[in-house]
Amino acid sequence: MTSNKKEFDYLIVGAGLFGSVFAHEAKKKGKKCLVIDKRNHLGGNVYCENVEDINVHKYGAHIFHTSDKRIWDYVNNLVEFNHYVNSPIANYNGELFNLPFNMNTFYQLWGVKTPEEAKNKIEEEIKELNITNPQNLEEQAISLVGKDIYFKLIKGYTEKQWGRKATDLPAFIIKRLPVRFTFDNNYFNDKYQGIPIGGYNKLVEALLDGVETMTDQDYFEDNEKWNAKAETVVFTGRIDEFYGFKYGKLNYRSLKFENQTLDTENFQGNAVVNYTDSETPYTRIIEHKHFEFGKQKKTVITKEYPQEWEEGKEPYYPVNDTLNNELFTKYKQLADQETNVIFGGRLAEYKYYDMHQIIGSALKKASDLI
């Protein structure tokens, strides 16, 4: 009698963090996995390209941060992390300010030296404008931090990010704006923060060690062939594409990256500089070597331009407005009926995730289902 057992326990579509963590956990439990990706590399959006001996974050800056000790220990058991702390600088028409909004920023804006002076200045601006029921993002932001911070450090950046006027964006996008009355430029409040020493490829290599992988493989070119290989499919791509866009396409914001290798050791003195005026077309410049305290003779910078997403561009940020969320709910109802397909990750769940959240989500799915 012949057995109908398939070659693999799991076919994992997508070699990003969700797929890689799931494969790692499945392998630990003695399961046989095949990980495929349509790109020519593993690692999804955390992939780094080596240019001039610098790890270039190919799909935008990735800074690992978490307050969850379990997740921090998990990644540090795989690779060693450095002590990089994200402290971006804002450039508004040539004036430089520290971010996030803290006592350094307030001193740079107004010359105030004490938390009380800074609080009074912000409260004075808020009171002056008397916005009681904010109708849009602009009014919401001004009612939280006043006009100076808003016009210099929020308005231009936000409008470029969303491709919309701040007065046309809903107020709920900015529920709160973190304001610190201490001289602290650490952007994240999380307890743990850093970058893998040697770049994120090291983390992905450690996760996928001993797992069979194939790149340049488009699942949709012959999904029946791929499905036949495994008992269960773990799908981390676009959920609407999985269902042949039967209800229509979900929308995203995309990004365009412009890289330059410069014949200088240090271009801007910081990994991240945000351009908060409206005239500069990009939102920020990343200087990659600073993520790993690099001393290379050259440097690589990336200008980041937000853009509308269309087919053929990378889908980065889900547009979680009412229309798209309702559309996603329809696809999720189909997904919930599947018996041998597991959906996970940013595109399959149509949800913005930080890296530690993706890892947490993959660990939970793996422990619940394997």
Side-chain angles (χ1 to χ4, degrees):
M1 205 169 127
T2 55
S3 157
N4 286 334
K5 178 130 176 68
K6 294 182 178 177
E7 193 184 345
F8 295 95
D9 295 296
Y10 293 99
L11 167 76
I12 296 162
V13 182
L17 276 182
F18 187 96
S20 300
V21 169
F22 193 98
H24 186 73
E25 293 305 298
K27 182 180 178 286
K28 283 201 293 201
K29 293 183 181 175
K31 302 295 182 187
K32 199 173 177 209
C33 300
L34 171 63
V35 178
I36 64 168
D37 202 289
K38 69 176 179 189
R39 289 175 176 168
N40 64 358
H41 59 75
L42 303 171
N45 286 357
V46 303
Y47 173 72
C48 294
E49 206 164 46
N50 193 283
V51 181
E52 297 291 342
D53 203 28
I54 296 162
N55 289 310
V56 173
H57 296 205
K58 187 172 167 65
Y59 302 95
H62 283 80
I63 297 146
F64 199 94
H65 58 96
T66 182
S67 291
D68 187 330
K69 188 174 188 309
R70 184 181 67 106
I71 303 273
W72 183 244
D73 289 346
Y74 183 81
V75 293
N76 276 269
N77 281 332
L78 294 159
V79 287
E80 195 183 344
F81 276 65
N82 68 19
H83 58 278
Y84 175 82
V85 169
N86 191 29
S87 307
I89 299 290
N91 181 322
Y92 175 78
N93 290 329
E95 286 182 86
L96 300 182
F97 299 93
N98 288 104
L99 294 174
F101 313 135
N102 71 76
M103 284 303 298
N104 289 309
T105 326
F106 309 143
Y107 175 72
Q108 290 150 350
L109 276 166
W110 306 307
V112 295
K113 292 174 186 164
T114 68
E116 194 182 355
E117 287 176 304
K119 275 180 189 164
N120 290 343
K121 179 73 182 156
I122 291 170
E123 277 165 21
E124 196 183 291
E125 284 195 359
I126 292 170
K127 206 150 72 184
E128 212 176 276
L129 293 151
N130 194 25
I131 297 165
T132 47
N133 181 19
Q135 294 301 301
N136 53 53
L137 184 143
E138 181 161 298
E139 292 181 359
Q140 176 73 46
I142 291 172
S143 72
L144 292 169
V145 291
K147 64 180 193 329
D148 285 355
I149 294 175
Y150 171 71
F151 282 108
K152 285 196 169 183
L153 302 177
I154 299 170
K155 179 180 164 73
Y157 190 90
T158 305
E159 291 184 344
K160 288 187 285 193
Q161 193 80 338
W162 289 93
R164 313 272 183 285
K165 290 268 170 251
T167 46
D168 294 337
L169 288 165
F172 72 77
I173 291 180
I174 292 186
K175 291 192 182 76
R176 59 186 197 86
L177 283 165
V179 172
R180 291 185 193 155
F181 295 97
T182 53
F183 290 89
D184 178 10
N185 298 326
N186 179 357
Y187 194 77
F188 299 117
N189 287 316
D190 286 314
K191 192 171 177 182
Y192 309 106
Q193 189 174 168
I195 306 270
I197 293 172
Y200 282 97
N201 297 2
K202 298 265 188 226
L203 173 61
V204 174
E205 282 159 18
L207 285 166
L208 293 175
D209 185 33
V211 174
E212 200 168 321
T213 62
M214 294 172 78
T215 53
D216 291 304
Q217 304 296 325
D218 187 341
Y219 172 75
F220 292 107
E221 275 178 12
D222 194 348
N223 54 358
E224 283 182 20
K225 175 193 89 172
W226 292 113
N227 293 346
K229 287 181 176 290
E231 302 293 329
T232 303
V233 173
V234 178
F235 184 76
T236 72
R238 290 158 58 194
I239 191 168
D240 51 353
E241 188 175 12
F242 186 87
Y243 289 110
F245 308 111
K246 68 184 288 182
Y247 301 128
K249 287 186 182 181
L250 291 163
N251 197 14
Y252 295 87
R253 287 290 287 161
S254 190
L255 295 167
K256 185 181 79 168
F257 301 110
E258 205 176 81
N259 298 329
Q260 283 173 279
T261 302
L262 303 175
D263 215 351
T264 177
E265 271 188 49
N266 190 353
F267 171 73
Q268 62 187 20
N270 206 45
V272 184
V273 176
N274 290 355
Y275 284 76
T276 60
D277 60 275
S278 305
E279 295 74 39
T280 306
Y282 41 86
T283 44
R284 55 186 186 169
I285 296 181
I286 308 297
E287 187 169 10
H288 300 267
K289 72 192 303 180
H290 296 305
F291 289 130
E292 297 183 62
F293 315 109
K295 300 279 186 279
Q296 299 89 340
K297 289 273 177 271
K298 294 187 178 184
T299 195
V300 180
I301 64 164
T302 301
K303 291 175 179 170
E304 199 170 293
Y305 299 81
Q307 54 183 204
E308 291 293 325
W309 174 81
E310 57 191 41
E311 211 55 68
K313 290 180 180 172
E314 287 295 336
Y316 283 101
Y317 304 109
V319 179
N320 291 118
D321 58 15
T322 312
L323 201 68
N324 281 289
N325 286 344
E326 281 171 5
L327 187 55
F328 169 68
T329 303
K330 288 186 181 177
Y331 285 118
K332 180 151 182 1
Q333 283 164 355
L334 294 179
D336 290 343
Q337 290 160 32
E338 300 284 352
T339 51
N340 59 349
V341 184
I342 296 164
F343 292 87
R346 198 172 39 93
L347 299 177
E349 296 179 59
Y350 198 63
K351 184 176 179 182
Y352 179 77
Y353 272 123
D354 281 329
M355 286 179 285
H356 66 285
Q357 294 166 325
I358 284 267
I359 290 168
S361 164
L363 288 173
K364 183 170 185 344
K365 281 255 166 85
S367 81
D368 288 352
L369 299 171
I370 301 172

